[in-house]
Amino acid sequence: MALAYSHIVMRHSRQPVNQGRLVKASRKFQGENISCGDQVTLFVKLDSKKKITDVGWEGEGCAISQASTSIFSEMIKGKTLAQAQKITGETLMKKMDTQLSPARVKCATLPVHTLKEATD
Amino acid sequence: MDFAKIKKDFPIFRQARLKKPLVYFDSAATSHKPQSVIDAVVDFYSKTNANTHRAAYELAEQATGKFETVRSLIADWLHIASPDSVIFTKGTTEGINLVAAAWGRNMLKRGDTILLTELEHHANLIPWQLLSREKNLKLEFIPIDDQGRLNLTHLPKLLRGVKLVAFNHVSNALGTINPVQTIVRAARKAGARVLVDGAQAVPHLPVDIGRIDPDFYVFSSHKMLGPSGVGVLYVKPERFEEMTPYQGGGAMISEVHWRHATYQPAPLKFEAGTQPMAQVVGMGAAIEYLQSLGMRQVELHEKQLIRHAYKVFSAIPEVTIYGPKPVDRLGVLTFTVADIHAHDLATLFDEYGICLRAGHHCTQPLHRTLGVTATARFSFYVYNTLKEIDFAAETLKKIIKQWHSPTATS
């Protein structure tokens, strides 16, 4: 299969982690790729030191955007919100072990931009 | 006509860098160019390049001659009474924007209604949204039925008080062939003007603008084997007197003073500035190429492709096809595959050298009506073959199998 769909991408695509809305979320972040319709909502629970103690997410879209959100949710757990917001798209894609065409990089980086830009 | 041999006329399919044969199923977005079109463009720059309609030296006259010959060729090809009704534009989008600005802004008044359809491309929606904001117009839409065909049951009622009907001849998203004659006749009876977006029709079937008799008809060169950056707007002669200039500049004027000017008659009045000369000449070569195939033959070839594609893809249980049965559609197959998003499909097909479009195909509201955010789309043209369709179907079966196999990854 295409290099885009690595082991880890397919694993998270089939069995996503942290999926679902967090009922008592401290913050909610919503993002969308307008051009292709991929949507993601990230929920984080923060402790008094702004550390992310729990993550949840809901989304709709291609396998790349949904797997990347699942992987990203694992990456940010335990970090402070400020630290999590510093994670770059490159770092995430490295973790995903994926090779994407320029048109599809935005699918993978959707959760990164969501956490950075769109705030409730 | 032997369509199996057509590929050799298109250099893009013969590139040495291709690792596998290029299966190009995205001609509704843009078509490839035969060598004769590429040669015509190169030839113009090598032998006849000079600005048209300006200078009196021989080279410029040759350039003007070549340019104007294409205008006449287009008129002959589409059965347009006078070449003066043929205006060159940047493409379909600009043609529609031109009508909105030069005719709509002048002739439509607060409270007037424009009737569109649920099949429209953004290019035949946004210009009217912009104009309706500016002039306080109403937009109404002819609905589609469950097969993606226009539901004309209530057309006479929908046409009440309508000043302009604008619709596509063939849908870019579903391939639906619309009953253009019926709609034009009904619109005329209701006293409405008609704009037909022929971007997906002129490349694919014989079009007789004289017989359709719309007020405006638009299409693009790049979707019909010609160069990008040029298109055509047909204007019915009576409409010209209702139109103000679209852009001002050189070539569209007659006499210029510091504070006022007089203008050329149509079509030059609507062709301000230097035109895409080489592209127009290339478009002429594209028309000649299509004429050599015969538009009836082109249509039959595409009909054969869509019938076959519809059959083989319907037979794959995971596939859902959108739009009408082959009898009512041209060479466009729009579909989704269970559990595989359209964008993933596009990437996966690309691995096999198959190019298809994934997304909303510039028809977001239509996709909302269909209840899907993204679909995959194959769109065929003269260089496509039944064999390629079989290959795509076999490839899709392989993709589906791999996608669901727990061990399969890169």
Side-chain angles (χ1 to χ4, degrees):
Chain A
M1 208 152 34
L3 294 169
Y5 304 94
S6 60
H7 276 286
I8 178 163
V9 166
M10 288 313 287
R11 198 175 73 229
H12 279 266
S13 170
R14 291 185 182 120
Q15 287 157 331
V17 298
N18 300 319
Q19 202 176 24
R21 153 189 305 267
L22 273 195
V23 191
K24 286 183 182 159
S26 323
R27 298 282 300 271
K28 187 174 104 179
F29 302 87
Q30 277 178 305
E32 186 179 4
N33 278 330
I34 308 277
S35 63
C36 55
D38 292 346
Q39 287 175 10
V40 143
T41 307
L42 287 165
F43 304 88
V44 295
K45 201 167 172 184
L46 302 171
D47 67 10
S48 58
K49 289 174 184 154
K50 296 267 179 200
K51 206 167 109 177
I52 300 170
T53 55
D54 204 2
V55 191
W57 63 273
E58 284 178 331
E60 207 188 294
C62 65
I64 299 292
S65 71
Q66 303 306 296
S68 77
T69 306
S70 175
I71 294 165
F72 188 65
S73 72
E74 271 186 339
M75 289 167 75
I76 64 174
K77 210 184 237 181
K79 290 195 165 56
T80 66
L81 185 56
Q83 283 168 339
Q85 284 169 329
K86 282 199 191 101
I87 298 172
T88 62
E90 289 75 49
T91 311
L92 174 58
M93 284 194 289
K94 215 168 168 186
K95 195 101 180 167
M96 290 168 71
D97 190 25
T98 182
Q99 283 182 31
L100 294 169
S101 64
R104 300 217 55 201
V105 166
K106 67 180 188 333
C107 307
T109 56
L110 176 60
V112 172
H113 297 302
T114 300
L115 194 68
K116 270 188 191 143
E117 287 157 26
T119 58
D120 49 349
Chain B
M1 184 63 229
D2 189 357
F3 281 87
K5 288 187 181 150
I6 276 185
K7 266 212 166 91
K8 69 171 180 9
D9 295 342
F10 292 77
I12 198 151
F13 296 114
R14 296 193 254 111
Q15 290 178 89
R17 71 180 183 93
L18 291 177
K19 281 173 248 131
K20 39 190 128 27
L22 177 64
V23 178
Y24 186 76
F25 285 166
D26 198 18
S27 292
T30 198
S31 67
H32 289 311
K33 323 302 172 197
Q35 191 64 51
S36 63
V37 167
I38 298 165
D39 287 347
V41 174
V42 172
D43 223 51
F44 181 83
Y45 284 129
S46 315
K47 294 175 187 158
T48 344
N49 184 52
N51 209 328
T52 51
H53 301 299
R54 282 166 173 82
Y57 51 89
E58 199 195 333
L59 191 64
E61 275 165 9
Q62 283 174 2
T64 305
K66 279 210 155 199
F67 184 86
E68 287 301 323
T69 303
V70 178
R71 204 190 297 275
S72 303
L73 177 65
I74 292 166
D76 283 348
W77 189 45
L78 303 175
H79 305 129
I80 294 167
S82 162
D84 291 346
S85 280
V86 174
I87 295 169
F88 289 115
T89 63
K90 276 197 303 193
T92 301
T93 300
E94 194 188 36
I96 297 170
N97 277 278
L98 194 162
V99 173
W103 182 84
R105 191 171 284 149
N106 200 32
M107 297 302 289
L108 299 176
K109 293 184 299 289
R110 186 189 179 90
D112 283 349
T113 301
I114 299 172
L115 183 62
L116 307 170
T117 83
E118 286 186 345
L119 286 175
E120 294 322 303
H121 187 284
H122 297 161
N124 198 25
L125 174 62
I126 311 298
W128 307 118
Q129 285 183 359
L130 293 171
L131 190 66
S132 69
R133 288 262 166 78
E134 183 188 318
K135 309 265 303 182
N136 256 305
L137 311 172
K138 282 182 278 190
L139 300 182
E140 295 298 337
F141 300 86
I142 300 175
I144 52 169
D145 66 14
D146 57 2
Q147 276 195 46
R149 296 172 303 188
L150 293 179
N151 179 349
L152 300 179
T153 322
H154 303 293
L155 185 59
K157 205 173 130 200
L158 279 169
L159 276 167
R160 234 173 269 161
V162 166
K163 292 287 155 60
L164 174 72
V165 185
F167 66 99
N168 56 34
H169 190 161
V170 173
S171 157
N172 76 300
L174 301 177
T176 317
I177 306 169
N178 290 317
V180 63
Q181 207 79 64
T182 310
I183 301 172
V184 172
R185 222 174 281 139
R188 204 161 292 306
K189 217 169 128 194
R193 304 298 179 215
V194 183
L195 177 144
V196 182
D197 167 1
Q200 302 293 344
V202 173
H204 304 286
L205 46 82
V207 171
D208 187 334
I209 291 183
R211 212 165 72 98
I212 297 169
D213 196 26
D215 295 280
F216 308 101
Y217 194 104
V218 287
F219 60 96
S220 300
S221 154
H222 74 100
K223 293 189 199 289
M224 45 170 270
L225 311 179
S228 57
V230 62
V232 166
L233 162 64
Y234 158 82
V235 179
K236 194 182 171 81
E238 295 96 295
R239 295 287 83 73
F240 277 128
E241 51 204 69
E242 301 170 356
M243 292 165 74
T244 53
Y246 168 58
Q247 290 185 331
M252 55 79 75
I253 46 82
S254 171
E255 203 177 295
V256 179
H257 301 273
W258 284 122
R259 305 200 188 281
H260 64 94
T262 56
Y263 312 121
Q264 288 283 343
L268 293 185
K269 183 180 179 181
F270 301 99
E271 293 178 359
T274 296
Q275 294 299 296
M277 303 173 293
Q279 289 84 339
V280 165
V281 171
M283 184 186 188
I287 293 170
E288 282 166 357
Y289 185 89
L290 286 169
Q291 282 177 326
S292 76
L293 301 178
M295 288 312 293
R296 183 82 190 117
Q297 293 305 114
V298 170
E299 184 188 5
L300 288 173
H301 174 66
E302 285 192 39
K303 277 281 184 194
Q304 194 187 14
L305 295 176
I306 189 64
R307 266 199 308 271
H308 188 64
Y310 197 95
K311 195 178 85 191
V312 297
F313 282 88
S314 306
I316 302 174
E318 290 86 351
V319 170
T320 306
I321 297 175
Y322 298 85
K325 296 262 151 46
V327 62
D328 291 319
R329 76 198 290 165
L330 268 187
V332 172
L333 191 80
T334 308
F335 62 98
T336 53
V337 175
D339 298 327
I340 311 181
H341 192 278
H343 288 111
D344 296 315
L345 276 179
T347 301
L348 294 163
F349 269 114
D350 191 33
E351 284 292 298
Y352 296 87
I354 301 171
C355 309
L356 68 132
R357 179 82 181 266
H360 51 63
H361 327 304
C362 294
T363 55
Q364 279 185 25
L366 170 64
H367 273 69
R368 234 163 269 140
T369 304
L370 296 173
V372 281
T373 50
T375 54
R377 181 187 73 181
F378 291 152
S379 55
F380 310 126
Y381 207 10
V382 290
Y383 31 68
N384 293 124
T385 62
L386 296 171
K387 241 164 119 179
E388 287 177 330
I389 291 168
D390 288 334
F391 172 61
E394 287 316 306
T395 302
L396 179 57
K397 286 178 201 161
K398 227 184 273 177
I399 287 171
I400 293 169
K401 207 171 148 198
Q402 278 194 321
W403 192 259
H404 292 290
S405 129
T407 53
T409 55
S410 61

